[in-house]
Amino acid sequence: MADLEIINLHVRTEEREILHGVSLQVNKGETHALMGPNGSGKSTLANVLMGNDTYEVTEGQIIFNGEDITGEDPEKRSQAGLFLAFQYPAVIPGVSVANFLRMAVNAHRDEPINVKEFRDKLKTNMDLLTVPREFTSRYLNDGFSGGEKKRAEILQMAMLEPTISILDETDSGLDIDALRVVSEGVNALRERGMGSLIITHYQRILDYIKPDFVHILLEGRIVEEGGPELVAKLEEHGYDWIREEVAQRAG
Amino acid sequence: MPAEQTRISPADAGRTVAGPSAIASDRKAALAAYESAPVPTWRRSGFWTTTLRDLDLESLSPREYPAVSSREELPQVVRDAIGDEQYAGLIVQRGASVIYTETSAGNPDGVIACTLEQAFDQHPELVAKYYGKRVSSEEGKFTAANAAMWTGGAFFYVPPDTSVEQPFQVINVIDEPGVAQYGRLLAIVDTSGKATFREFDLAPDIDGQALHAGVTEVFARPNSWAKVKTLQDWGAGEIFDVSTKRVEIARDAHARWFPVHLGGHLTKQTLDIVTAERGADMRHNGLYITQGNEHLDLFTTDLHESGDTTGDTVWKGAATGSSKASYEGLIEIREGCQNSHTYLQTHSLMLSKEAKVDAIPSLIVKTDDVSASHGGTVGEVDENQVFYMRTRGISREDAIRILVEGFFDPVIGGFEDERLEQLVRQRIAGKLAEASEDIAAYAATK
Ligand SMILES: Nc1ncnc2c1ncn2[C@@H]1O[C@H](COP(=O)(O)OP(=O)(O)OP(=O)(O)O)[C@@H](O)[C@H]1O
Ligand SMILES: [Mg+2]
């Protein structure tokens, strides 16, 4: 069984079903890309994997490290090693980045981290992601630019060292240099064994972080799977050919 | 404990009422005014009422307590608040009695920290210049009560061109039911001086009723710097607090006032900051958190009596349980006060379905050529933020606490006072823990 196993997941909001039976497997050390047009359900999947209860899972299962976490609390999933870098991270006014990181790190341990260990770890990761020093004293995401928010997400990921990370459009909003730096950060964690599911619209991030597998989500279903060659094909032709194929398959 | 106390019966209140001889006749008049005035009810715009209907005034009286000679003998709630902090002056008033006084040997020449009674005795001219000049006994039943019946009291004075680093601190403590406490603070930082004045009103969770009717007057003389920190935490007992506090800022002087309201059964306070002369500058940053069935009614005025003055008022409050909190903030700019600039903001956070918060900023401006603005928000804990934090491993309960602390952080950070900051953070965390189920249930409905 894969480290993260999504089995026939059906998800709905009060109004309608958004995911119609999604299955996907991600192992530690693997990099998966998830692509698909706007509104196809990518962020919904990411949120459901983290336990956002505005969505209801009506069928299917999420298995993480062999345990069924379909109904588990978000904090338990995080503590178990699952991470989501949000497409639209929340603003947390009045809580500095450094403070927030310390609280998050402590939430993953029995004993609070000692001051020096935390400081060293923070410094290492800030260097890795070339985050400026003054960043850590600002209130988390409060008045951050789009790119700064994405960097703050990746800084959190680096500090929490998850086993599987979902990156929801982390590339959008990042300038070219920031994209390279963030990608290098992800690659460094991948070398330490982290698996990832990278949600994106663009080939560019996948040039830096080479995916092992590519999945295409269309209207709440995975309709195409393959290797990196799929990305190039999408970049060139868009989604129409997939829509046609799906229509043909449906006959 | 009961063996130690002396109850002052109305019959022998004579000594109390006489007070310092300089104001004996004023006190008599004030007592008459107090006795003839009806118990007030404060109504605003029809739907907000603060009433003392449930207060059994007749059953309360000032109480005297013996002095103690060391910090170790002070009531627990006082010891918790002061820790091992060093003060330029410390005065602890329990009921009607100042039970403990401490002054720092290192104070510069001319600095005074003593009871107000002693000040009337030893510094009559100085006291006469300021006493009652900003809060008149004629403002209402309870300022009259205070003028007539205060005993003990605190007097802090910093002479011209003198800067005092350590804070001056008065603590009013009520630690049993039946007490009527008339606390009085008079604090002056003279020309080009610098000082921090703190007033804490504290009680353990008493079982029964008590009253605190305090009057506080602070004067920041020309070109001086005053920091004023007033903290109210009356615990869970039935303590009624009807107090008036006023800070006057003279020419080119600066004052920062941080009022903190952490608890009280029913509170009606008038908190005014007056930029009285040109160049006067003030900042007024308050916070409150209410719980249970507490009732908090605050009325602040940013009063400009002169032109070329500046003001900046920010209040933040949160309400849990079935508590009610009303903050009314008035900016008043008198005639002829050109070139005054001020603004007022109030932000409140509702943490429970049954809680009520009401924030009313208002303006009375009688001069052209000024800038005065106000604004306010009422918010709730946002479930999106809570979810975000939970995905970082933080429990729902902690997430809410962190968010509320974050809401207050800009005010608390502004104290520039580690001791106060620590006290306030600790108390807020405690209150949120007590209310956590209620708060979580409410957030989940959003
Ligand atoms: N909480 C919600 N309530 C109602 N509808 C929702 C909710 N969340 C998502 N949807 C709807 O579900 C569909 C999928 O949305 P989702 O955000 O998952 O798409 P996406 O693939 O991430 O799109 P994008 O590429 O634009 O980020 C959309 O039609 C969206 O409007
Ligand atoms: Mg999305």
Side-chain angles (χ1 to χ4, degrees):
Chain A
M1 183 172 278
D3 295 314
L4 174 65
E5 183 108 18
I6 304 163
I7 307 165
N8 187 30
L9 206 61
H10 289 255
V11 172
R12 60 173 301 127
T13 61
E14 264 175 35
E15 297 96 60
R16 65 183 184 89
E17 189 172 273
I18 299 172
L19 300 181
H20 314 287
V22 171
S23 296
L24 199 69
Q25 302 175 351
V26 182
N27 279 303
K28 285 174 198 154
E30 292 175 358
T31 301
H32 294 246
L34 179 66
M35 304 182 76
N38 294 129
S40 55
K42 303 181 297 296
S43 295
T44 300
L45 177 63
N47 270 275
V48 168
L49 289 175
M50 287 316 293
N52 187 334
D53 62 10
T54 52
Y55 303 96
E56 190 195 349
V57 176
T58 52
E59 209 183 318
Q61 279 176 303
I62 306 164
I63 312 287
F64 186 51
N65 297 334
E67 303 224 5
D68 186 338
I69 59 159
T70 318
E72 192 58 277
D73 284 340
E75 55 269 38
K76 293 278 158 41
R77 300 180 196 218
S78 167
Q79 287 157 9
L82 205 54
F83 183 87
L84 168 60
F86 282 86
Q87 183 176 7
Y88 304 111
V91 178
I92 310 295
V95 182
S96 71
V97 171
N99 251 334
F100 188 81
L101 287 170
R102 196 174 36 74
M103 292 186 285
V105 166
N106 283 337
H108 288 76
R109 315 160 43 107
D110 295 331
E111 295 286 314
I113 188 166
N114 81 48
V115 176
K116 182 171 185 323
E117 196 188 338
F118 175 73
R119 221 191 297 125
D120 292 349
K121 189 170 174 155
L122 182 56
K123 177 152 192 334
T124 307
N125 285 314
M126 285 172 65
D127 290 348
L128 177 72
L129 298 168
T130 64
V131 174
R133 266 184 53 141
E134 58 273 17
F135 198 77
T136 54
S137 57
R138 293 175 63 186
Y139 291 155
L140 180 60
N141 294 331
D142 197 359
F144 280 22
S145 73
E148 284 169 337
K149 284 184 185 172
K150 297 303 171 72
R151 246 183 227 234
E153 293 294 286
I154 298 305
L155 180 59
Q156 291 178 55
M157 181 177 85
M159 291 296 287
L160 295 179
E161 299 172 339
T163 49
I164 305 278
S165 281
I166 306 145
L167 280 69
D168 192 356
E169 296 198 27
T170 299
D171 52 344
S172 48
L174 289 177
D175 65 45
I176 294 174
D177 293 334
L179 181 65
R180 186 175 41 75
V181 169
V182 162
S183 303
E184 280 165 9
V186 174
N187 284 332
L189 291 167
R190 174 193 200 168
E191 269 160 39
R192 284 188 247 155
M194 183 182 77
S196 54
L197 179 64
I198 297 175
I199 299 173
T200 182
H201 289 293
Y202 307 106
Q203 182 169 4
R204 212 177 48 187
I205 188 171
L206 301 175
D207 289 341
Y208 290 111
I209 311 170
K210 294 271 183 291
D212 305 305
F213 306 95
V214 179
H215 314 264
I216 294 167
L217 190 68
L218 186 74
E219 291 169 8
R221 289 186 179 83
I222 304 261
V223 291
E224 198 75 45
E225 290 180 300
E229 75 286 348
L230 253 181
V231 181
K233 195 166 173 190
L234 279 181
E235 192 86 357
E236 199 175 329
H237 303 290
Y239 288 104
D240 280 349
W241 63 274
I242 296 184
R243 288 199 178 90
E244 278 162 29
E245 266 190 35
V246 171
Q248 268 170 20
R249 268 185 248 162
Chain B
M1 196 71 67
E4 294 176 19
Q5 87 212 5
T6 334
R7 202 182 152 116
I8 303 172
S9 71
D12 70 3
R15 193 199 68 84
T16 313
V17 170
S21 57
I23 50 169
S25 66
D26 295 348
R27 280 170 79 99
K28 269 206 186 106
L31 186 66
Y34 164 66
E35 282 171 346
S36 62
V39 175
T41 294
W42 296 271
R43 281 201 183 78
R44 204 192 50 232
S45 51
F47 61 90
W48 180 275
T49 304
T50 296
T51 160
L52 301 174
R53 193 177 52 213
D54 298 332
L55 173 65
D56 184 8
L57 252 183
E58 295 304 310
S59 72
L60 310 177
S61 62
R63 255 179 225 184
E64 294 199 330
Y65 298 89
V68 302
S69 52
S70 71
R71 287 190 179 192
E72 287 68 44
E73 297 163 78
L74 288 166
Q76 183 70 42
V77 8
V78 177
R79 277 185 285 142
D80 289 347
I82 61 183
D84 58 1
E85 200 179 26
Q86 296 305 306
Y87 301 99
L90 170 65
I91 290 181
V92 179
Q93 173 147 359
R94 183 177 177 204
S97 311
V98 168
I99 58 165
Y100 186 72
T101 305
E102 213 182 83
T103 51
S104 165
N107 283 343
D109 285 349
V111 167
I112 304 168
C114 63
T115 72
L116 187 54
E117 283 187 37
Q118 284 165 345
F120 265 98
D121 234 27
Q122 294 161 15
H123 312 282
E125 281 158 26
L126 203 49
V127 172
K129 211 172 145 191
Y130 299 103
Y131 173 84
K133 292 294 182 283
R134 267 297 163 187
V135 180
S136 147
S137 64
E138 287 159 19
E139 288 184 26
K141 186 174 179 77
F142 290 94
T143 52
N146 183 283
M149 293 186 275
W150 71 262
T151 49
F155 180 76
F156 300 133
Y157 175 77
V158 173
D161 302 309
T162 304
S163 174
V164 179
E165 278 307 313
Q166 289 171 336
F168 294 85
Q169 168 101 46
V170 58
I171 298 182
N172 295 305
V173 59
I174 294 175
D175 56 358
E176 55 183 348
V179 170
Q181 183 178 56
Y182 302 100
R184 184 121 194 169
L185 167 64
L186 178 58
I188 302 124
V189 51
D190 216 330
T191 306
S192 303
K194 191 172 176 198
T196 297
F197 303 116
R198 291 211 207 116
E199 179 189 84
F200 287 5
D201 295 331
L202 304 174
D205 296 343
I206 63 166
D207 187 16
Q209 293 197 337
L211 168 73
H212 177 88
V215 168
T216 299
E217 292 174 292
V218 178
F219 296 86
R221 301 300 296 148
N223 201 41
S224 67
W225 252 101
K227 280 192 183 163
V228 181
K229 294 152 187 187
T230 50
L231 178 139
Q232 181 206 40
D233 190 353
W234 290 127
E238 230 181 298
I239 298 185
F240 292 71
D241 180 334
V242 185
S243 299
T244 301
K245 303 177 205 254
R246 219 156 270 152
V247 175
E248 179 196 280
I249 312 169
R251 186 173 179 119
D252 300 324
H254 304 265
R256 305 272 176 270
W257 184 4
F258 304 98
V260 178
H261 292 262
L262 298 178
H265 174 69
L266 181 145
T267 299
K268 168 69 200 178
Q269 286 199 358
T270 304
L271 309 174
D272 302 335
I273 190 156
V274 186
T275 43
E277 295 173 5
R278 295 180 61 172
D281 164 57
M282 72 85 164
R283 207 162 80 198
H284 192 186
N285 290 171
L287 78 82
Y288 65 79
I289 179 164
T290 54
Q291 68 180 148
N293 63 352
E294 288 175 345
H295 179 109
L296 176 68
D297 181 347
L298 299 173
F299 184 11
T300 74
T301 301
D302 164 15
L303 174 61
H304 295 257
E305 292 183 342
S306 167
D308 294 306
T309 51
T310 45
D312 172 356
T313 300
V314 179
W315 271 80
K316 290 199 150 193
T320 69
S322 54
S323 63
K324 293 195 183 74
S326 165
Y327 170 79
E328 185 169 8
L330 170 67
I331 295 174
E332 181 176 349
I333 303 180
R334 298 249 166 103
E335 274 164 46
C337 295
Q338 276 79 12
N339 200 29
S340 292
H341 302 281
T342 191
Y343 73 99
L344 181 148
Q345 284 177 54
T346 148
H347 304 284
S348 354
L349 199 56
M350 291 266 293
L351 294 174
S352 148
K353 186 157 63 84
E354 272 78 41
K356 270 209 182 86
V357 291
D358 204 3
I360 299 150
S362 58
L363 279 173
I364 300 177
V365 178
K366 299 217 167 113
T367 311
D368 295 336
D369 195 21
V370 298
S371 67
S373 60
H374 61 66
T377 58
V378 177
E380 286 157 348
V381 167
D382 175 15
E383 195 57 20
N384 262 325
Q385 294 171 317
V386 174
F387 174 64
Y388 180 84
M389 293 169 80
R390 293 178 79 194
T391 68
R392 274 42 176 159
I394 297 165
S395 71
R396 168 183 278 281
E397 189 180 323
D398 284 345
I400 290 171
R401 178 181 52 78
I402 292 163
L403 285 168
V404 177
E405 286 178 3
F407 169 74
F408 285 125
D409 192 78
V411 173
I412 295 173
F415 294 164
E416 295 171 342
D417 182 330
E418 247 172 73
R419 178 86 201 153
L420 184 64
E421 182 170 336
Q422 192 195 339
L423 272 176
V424 172
R425 284 191 196 282
Q426 215 176 338
R427 284 295 285 152
I428 290 177
K431 280 164 186 292
L432 293 172
E434 283 165 37
S436 73
E437 273 180 33
D438 185 32
I439 296 169
Y442 182 58
T445 64
K446 295 288 121 192

